[in-house]
Amino acid sequence: MNGHLFLGEQVRLSSDDPLKKAEAFSRWRRDSEFSRLLDSGPASVWSVSKIKEWNEKYEDKDPYSEYFFTIHTIEDDRMIGFIGLDGIRWNHGDCWVGIGLGERDYWGKGYGTDAMRIILRYAFSELNLHRVSLNVFGYNPRAIHSYEKAGFKHEGSIRQFLFREGRRWDLVHMGILKEEWEQNARRDG
Amino acid sequence: MSIEIPLFYGNLICFTPIDREKDPEIESHWTHDPEYMRMVSLAPARPLAPSGVKKKYEAIEKAAEEGKNSFYFAVRTVPREGVESRLAGFVLIDWIEWNNGVGNVSLGIGDPKDRCHGYGTEALNMVLRYAFFELNLFRLTAIVPEYNQAALRLFHKAGFVEEVRQRQALSRDGRRWDLIHLGILRQEME
């Protein structure tokens, strides 16, 4: 049994109080680059109370349909982002993963990849899913590289899905199967 | 392209509003056909009573009204001499993102006797015209299970191309199937 299910090398997955999360999300959302890397909807700004309201509505939903964590650094226990599984189709064993690092200082340093490795282990060895899916915007090569490192394979692109800064961009789909994750785990010892 | 071309009337079928009184009984029958349910939905197949279908209609109409990002049409046969119009299926455009000009399209023909008569082909052509020349969307996506060969043929015939293949995303009848995303751009229609 793995006693460190929520622990990685640089980060751990955690849970924080609604107000703390809402304050961070409201602040992160004012960084339009963060918002445009995260969502295809129009970037906008939201008050702490509005975000708290949404989060609470979310938490009232079926607890078995999504698993949401905050990401904390191990070195100084700072909350730097979130990661979550949602859209779980239990009958098919498939789900979506979404991740966001709101603290820019932690971009491109392996924190996100580490969080992704933890949640894949959670998806495959605790939730017993068969695969994990994600999509990522064509203008986010840093994320694509991170997902490749975590073991995701390219599964195609929705052509010209996004329209930003006067041009169109693809929506890239990636996925990882349980058997691929197991192979990677064996390879990495 | 001209403003007089009817958006809601074809040669075989027409797009109509939901009839909350009469349609639930008919669609309830369709839901007892597991083959149909597995073609149109990834959720576990189960029959719906007419009251359940009615609730579904209410949710569809509420979503269309509140979200302004979905459009649903009940597909009916065009009345002919001596033959009344009847409910044959549905078409739906949802997940519309107006800022990106994108949406998702799905359709279903409920009664097996109504399939292979060109209803689906005409409904798809009509909904494409609606999406691209009335809603002014830039592209549409259709998500189809690998085992639904009839739908894949239909979308390919209309000009869709395969864009994404989510490997082994579905499990049915003891084996795994891919989930295929097809897409068409407005410029490919023109």
Side-chain angles (χ1 to χ4, degrees):
Chain A
M1 296 290 280
N2 189 330
H4 303 285
L5 200 54
F6 305 118
L7 187 69
E9 288 169 10
Q10 294 168 269
V11 300
R12 65 183 181 88
L13 303 193
S14 183
S15 178
D16 286 278
D17 284 334
L19 184 62
K20 183 179 175 187
K21 274 192 290 191
E23 280 168 354
F25 284 25
S26 177
R27 185 164 51 80
W28 295 341
R29 282 286 184 179
R30 290 167 68 182
D31 177 348
S32 61
E33 186 181 357
F34 173 71
S35 268
R36 287 166 130 191
L37 293 172
L38 189 64
D39 282 333
S40 54
S44 188
V45 291
W46 308 103
S47 70
V48 175
S49 52
K50 193 79 216 167
I51 290 179
K52 188 160 166 281
E53 210 178 289
W54 281 334
N55 287 349
E56 279 159 358
K57 223 185 275 174
Y58 240 40
E59 277 160 8
D60 287 343
K61 281 205 319 197
D62 177 4
Y64 296 113
S65 71
E66 70 166 66
Y67 295 84
F68 181 92
F69 305 92
T70 50
I71 301 172
H72 284 238
T73 60
I74 291 174
E75 50 187 337
D76 53 6
D77 202 32
R78 185 166 174 206
M79 183 174 81
I80 59 167
F82 68 87
I83 189 164
L85 303 172
D86 67 357
I88 300 179
R89 294 189 182 114
W90 290 107
N91 54 327
H92 299 296
D94 187 24
C95 73
W96 292 92
V97 64
I99 180 171
L101 293 189
E103 301 296 342
R104 302 177 69 105
D105 298 348
Y106 295 84
W107 290 2
K109 293 175 183 165
Y111 291 91
T113 310
D114 196 32
M116 190 59 87
R117 288 199 177 113
I118 304 172
I119 210 160
L120 287 179
R121 183 174 61 205
Y122 186 74
F124 292 127
S125 71
E126 178 70 6
L127 302 184
N128 298 321
L129 296 173
H130 181 75
R131 58 165 278 144
V132 175
S133 307
L134 64 79
N135 55 44
V136 52
F137 307 151
Y139 53 70
N140 194 354
R142 187 175 45 230
I144 293 171
H145 181 62
S146 164
Y147 303 148
E148 287 166 347
K149 275 200 297 183
F152 283 86
K153 291 191 172 156
H154 287 257
E155 296 188 318
S157 289
I158 302 295
R159 295 169 301 151
Q160 306 188 36
F161 184 86
L162 299 142
F163 188 31
R164 267 182 174 147
E165 292 297 331
R167 61 162 285 200
R168 303 205 68 101
W169 311 81
D170 288 353
L171 179 68
V172 177
H173 277 252
M174 304 178 82
I176 180 168
L177 309 181
K178 182 174 189 173
E179 66 205 49
E180 293 167 347
W181 173 78
E182 285 167 340
Q183 276 167 17
N184 295 345
R186 274 198 299 275
R187 186 197 61 205
D188 301 336
Chain B
M1 197 68 219
S2 154
I3 205 87
E4 299 94 34
I5 293 180
L7 289 171
F8 306 130
Y9 290 90
N11 294 317
L12 304 169
I13 56 102
C14 48
F15 288 178
T16 68
I18 289 168
D19 182 334
R20 281 201 203 178
E21 298 312 310
K22 291 183 188 149
D23 290 351
E25 188 91 21
I26 302 165
E27 184 160 342
S28 171
H29 281 295
W30 302 344
T31 68
H32 286 70
D33 172 5
E35 194 183 339
Y36 176 70
M37 293 304 277
R38 289 164 139 203
M39 294 296 178
V40 295
S41 173
L42 304 181
R46 57 172 186 166
L48 278 180
S51 60
V53 175
K54 202 168 178 178
K55 263 193 207 136
K56 192 186 90 169
Y57 289 161
E58 284 163 11
I60 288 168
E61 290 186 329
K62 187 162 172 258
E65 193 182 321
E66 286 177 1
K68 309 266 187 240
N69 57 6
S70 60
F71 294 84
Y72 182 96
F73 299 103
V75 172
R76 284 172 223 281
T77 56
V78 168
R80 309 204 171 280
E81 221 158 315
V83 186
E84 263 184 64
S85 171
R86 65 175 196 285
L87 185 68
F90 73 93
V91 298
L92 170 67
I93 304 173
D94 60 357
W95 302 352
I96 293 175
E97 292 185 13
W98 294 107
N99 57 320
N100 292 313
V102 300
N104 194 77
V105 64
S106 50
L107 78 167
I109 301 296
D111 190 329
K113 290 197 292 289
D114 280 335
R115 297 190 198 131
C116 306
H117 292 304
Y119 297 165
T121 302
E122 187 167 67
L124 181 55
N125 287 334
M126 283 165 64
V127 80
L128 288 178
R129 193 167 69 208
Y130 185 75
F132 290 135
F133 303 123
E134 178 67 11
L135 303 183
N136 297 323
L137 297 182
F138 179 83
R139 58 157 290 140
L140 279 177
T141 306
I143 301 177
V144 180
E146 180 188 4
Y147 54 75
N148 191 349
Q149 290 295 321
L152 289 173
R153 273 196 302 277
L154 180 74
F155 284 112
H156 279 298
K157 206 169 61 182
F160 283 73
V161 296
E162 181 179 320
E163 296 181 323
V164 170
R165 188 173 273 261
Q166 290 185 277
R167 299 163 302 145
Q168 304 183 27
L170 305 174
S171 172
R172 266 173 174 160
D173 291 333
R175 61 159 283 196
R176 303 212 66 103
W177 310 82
D178 296 343
L179 185 59
I180 298 165
H181 301 232
L182 304 115
I184 186 169
L185 312 182
R186 182 170 57 208
Q187 69 214 44
E188 292 167 343
M189 267 285 285
E190 283 161 349

